[in-house]
Amino acid sequence: MTFDNQVFKNWEKSLSFIDLSNHYIFSYPELIQATDCLAKNFGERSVPMVAHLVYGWMPKILNYSRKSNQDRKIFQATLIENQNEALSVVENIQFPPTNNAWVGMSKTLHFLNPMMFPIWDSKVAKVLGVSATKMGKKDIYIDYMKFIFSNTDKHFVDVVREEFKNITNYEISKVRALEFILFVTGEN
């Protein structure tokens, strides 16, 4: 599936949503730090722990499946350094152990490596014109990752990142900046 870059045409509007009173924005760096601590101390065993952190950040309850232990494959997200490796990690996940949902899996992957994995959810899917039935498919998430990667060098990405740093006193990745624009666009 291909996505239209026009979804970023009103990116400036996202700047007004950078607000520390929003618990998603306020808690984001703490979740990044907690994930990093868990990953360093528990290795691949941290994957379900991170998933539980993520689901605490979401309006859902987690059912983490151990039917096919994929923690080692998922933990590879912490080690990758380029887009092709990120795509390979996702391709190697047989099914998301997070409620069998790519939304929760994308968030788990994002907190394991925010530089490489964009968050995928219904608000982003809405902006991109992806139906609820299609948003749960791995290939759609992979197409979304490729779309995000193809836009990381747009001029407005650094503007959003700088504004985040000025308002919140923490930095976000280019991937997070693009996903944030789409998320807040989907809220309105």
Side-chain angles (χ1 to χ4, degrees):
M1 181 170 215
T2 58
F3 305 115
D4 187 349
N5 284 337
Q6 286 299 308
V7 295
F8 295 118
K9 69 180 175 205
N10 295 319
W11 67 268
E12 299 97 341
K13 292 181 180 181
S14 70
L15 300 177
S16 65
F17 290 90
I18 304 171
D19 178 3
L20 274 174
S21 67
N22 178 313
H23 81 280
Y24 286 111
I25 292 174
F26 179 79
S27 61
Y28 179 83
E30 295 163 347
L31 289 172
I32 294 287
Q33 291 170 354
T35 298
D36 188 50
C37 179
L38 287 170
K40 284 179 180 165
N41 287 301
F42 293 95
E44 71 186 57
R45 294 179 308 146
S46 69
V47 173
M49 297 175 206
V50 172
H52 281 282
L53 282 176
V54 166
Y55 272 79
W57 199 56
M58 296 169 58
K60 296 227 183 232
I61 295 173
L62 174 63
N63 178 12
Y64 194 87
S65 174
R66 295 284 190 174
K67 285 182 184 175
S68 174
N69 190 343
Q70 301 184 90
D71 295 350
R72 179 173 285 144
K73 290 178 186 176
I74 295 165
F75 190 72
Q76 293 300 308
T78 64
L79 307 174
I80 60 122
E81 297 179 0
N82 66 57
Q83 297 167 357
N84 288 333
E85 291 174 350
L87 293 167
S88 180
V89 166
V90 172
E91 288 166 356
N92 287 326
I93 298 171
Q94 294 167 343
F95 66 91
T98 50
N99 293 357
N100 199 27
W102 281 101
V103 169
M105 187 77 266
S106 75
K107 292 177 183 181
T108 301
L109 289 167
H110 176 80
F111 282 104
L112 288 168
N113 190 337
M115 306 295 275
M116 291 291 152
F117 296 95
I119 293 173
W120 176 242
D121 70 9
S122 60
K123 291 177 182 167
V124 172
K126 177 178 112 178
V127 172
L128 295 174
V130 175
S131 69
T133 56
K134 286 189 175 181
M135 75 174 279
K137 299 190 181 298
K138 176 174 30 178
D139 60 326
I140 301 296
Y141 179 62
I142 289 171
D143 290 344
Y144 168 61
M145 288 175 68
K146 291 175 182 176
F147 176 69
I148 292 295
F149 295 157
S150 72
N151 284 286
T152 56
D153 291 332
K154 301 286 191 223
H155 77 282
F156 58 84
V157 173
D158 289 329
V159 175
V160 172
R161 293 178 73 211
E162 187 64 30
E163 192 69 7
F164 246 95
K165 188 175 180 181
N166 290 339
I167 293 172
T168 66
N169 205 28
Y170 68 81
E171 294 183 23
I172 61 171
S173 69
K174 291 182 176 196
V175 164
R176 172 68 174 154
L178 287 161
E179 174 269 317
F180 178 78
I181 293 167
L182 295 173
F183 178 82
V184 298
T185 301
E187 280 195 318
N188 299 308

